[in-house]
Amino acid sequence: MLTTAAAAAAVLSACAAVRRRLCRAGRRETFCWRGRICVTELWNGGAAFGLPIGRRVVLAGSLAALLGVLRCRRRDPAAVGLALGGGLSNLWERLRWGRVYDYLRFPKAPGFLKRYVFNLADLAVFLGAAGLLLGRVRRPRR
């Protein structure tokens, strides 16, 4: 449980620090690193990928997903901590401002992914989910 809590706290802290640094009054510049990672400001009021889903549905789905992820904490505590920290960070933003601040775009990503803007919390959720899925593939259920 300590590994899960530490990973979640680290993700929450990192997400808050990056958001505080990037989301300042008067900041409008876009930064691209070698055309692979661009920092672009976008407030996402919808669900994942900007899907137009109501706020209550998004909040209820987020809470259900977080509770489901918590059930896996014994299998891979670090992966659960990443997913939990990222999910809580996005949930906090939705509860506080009614939207999520996204800022990372990957122009060289494959297919449709190059059009979307993400944030650090989204990446943590993705990495945590990937860790849980890969751990399940490596260790089949008995």
Side-chain angles (χ1 to χ4, degrees):
M1 185 67 170
L2 186 59
T3 302
T4 301
V11 169
L12 277 167
S13 298
C15 290
V18 169
R19 181 177 49 252
R20 193 173 20 258
R21 173 100 167 118
L22 294 176
C23 189
R24 303 187 306 259
R27 187 198 166 279
R28 292 284 181 242
E29 75 270 7
T30 298
F31 169 78
C32 280
W33 181 72
R34 295 186 176 183
R36 296 184 188 280
I37 301 172
C38 293
V39 175
T40 306
E41 180 178 317
L42 173 78
W43 282 99
N44 179 0
F49 303 109
L51 293 172
I53 298 173
R55 183 178 178 188
R56 289 183 183 174
V57 174
V58 171
L59 292 176
S62 296
L63 284 173
L66 289 173
L67 290 174
V69 166
L70 261 177
R71 295 184 68 198
C72 301
R73 71 182 176 276
R74 288 202 172 125
R75 186 171 16 140
D76 194 338
V80 169
L82 284 173
L84 190 62
L88 287 172
S89 177
N90 279 341
L91 182 61
W92 169 249
E93 286 187 39
R94 286 199 189 286
L95 291 171
R96 184 157 185 206
W97 293 297
R99 55 194 180 163
V100 174
Y101 183 68
D102 290 332
Y103 45 84
L104 291 174
R105 191 170 51 85
F106 301 97
K108 303 274 184 183
F112 69 93
L113 289 177
K114 66 181 85 180
R115 294 189 311 238
Y116 293 103
V117 182
F118 305 91
N119 62 26
L120 188 60
D122 296 334
L123 293 175
V125 168
F126 173 78
L127 291 173
L132 285 171
L133 289 174
L134 290 174
R136 189 159 185 97
V137 170
R138 284 183 282 146
R139 293 182 301 248
R141 231 179 184 180
R142 296 176 203 191

